[in-house]
Amino acid sequence: MQSNAPAEPSQYRITLFFGPEPVATKPSTYACVYNVKKRSWKGGIQVSIEITQRQIDRAVDSISFRRWLAEVLFGSIPADGTELAGRAHELFIQAVCRTKLDLLLQSGIAQENQCLIADTYSQELEETLPDKSAFITSYVASELDILSGDTSPS
């Protein structure tokens, strides 16, 4: 049996498995599923991180993501900029879910597949997001192959 003792997120190897995908039984809720492997574990687990549209909207506002995206894409929007903006939004949700996963890992996690429901860590997520804006925007910029000298919102 594994202990639920808090651990540093660096003790884990984390890979996005899929998402964001709508949660069938919960309207306006999305989930990203991550494979999580702690160095001391023989095998990994899958952790589903749920997030509501309201949480996403608050996160967008919290780090001024729309403004950042408009500034980064200014002058480099391809013929179909809406496709790129849609992909950026998906990547944003992945990064916010990853931030929520980090909160779970910091509090301790058992070696079993699990689902972190949307309401869990919602307040902590809101408090953490301003400090994670550089991570989130860097992740989106990297995945979109956007080179930007300053990936944090101004």
Side-chain angles (χ1 to χ4, degrees):
M1 180 176 260
Q2 289 292 325
S3 165
N4 280 344
E8 289 296 314
S10 62
Q11 293 181 351
Y12 298 92
R13 187 183 69 219
I14 301 166
T15 308
L16 176 70
F17 185 53
F18 68 87
E21 297 287 328
V23 177
T25 59
K26 298 178 182 177
S28 300
T29 303
Y30 301 88
C32 290
V33 177
Y34 294 87
N35 289 319
V36 178
K37 166 93 173 59
K38 189 173 181 181
R39 291 184 180 154
S40 62
W41 295 345
K42 289 186 178 186
I45 61 171
Q46 287 189 342
V47 181
S48 177
I49 305 293
E50 292 183 352
I51 189 166
T52 64
Q53 185 61 51
R54 182 171 183 233
Q55 290 171 325
I56 295 165
D57 293 342
R58 290 181 124 169
V60 165
D61 292 342
S62 173
I63 69 163
S64 302
F65 183 72
R66 283 186 192 94
R67 186 181 68 201
W68 171 84
L69 188 61
E71 289 173 2
V72 170
L73 295 181
F74 182 75
S76 65
I77 299 175
D80 188 11
T82 57
E83 184 177 319
L84 186 61
R87 179 69 178 133
H89 184 68
E90 288 177 358
L91 294 167
F92 176 81
I93 294 171
Q94 289 173 5
V96 173
C97 284
R98 172 57 196 266
T99 301
K100 206 169 174 180
L101 174 60
D102 287 345
L103 291 169
L104 173 64
L105 296 177
Q106 289 169 4
S107 69
I109 187 172
Q111 187 182 0
E112 58 189 32
N113 293 343
Q114 53 198 278
C115 177
L116 185 65
I117 60 172
D119 292 340
T120 309
Y121 295 120
S122 60
Q123 182 64 37
E124 294 88 342
L125 180 64
E126 280 191 41
E127 294 168 3
T128 301
L129 281 171
D131 295 333
K132 298 294 185 176
S133 64
F135 159 74
I136 293 168
T137 55
S138 294
Y139 175 78
V140 173
S142 172
E143 292 295 314
L144 291 176
D145 291 326
I146 297 172
L147 297 177
S148 129
D150 178 15
T151 56
S152 62
S154 44

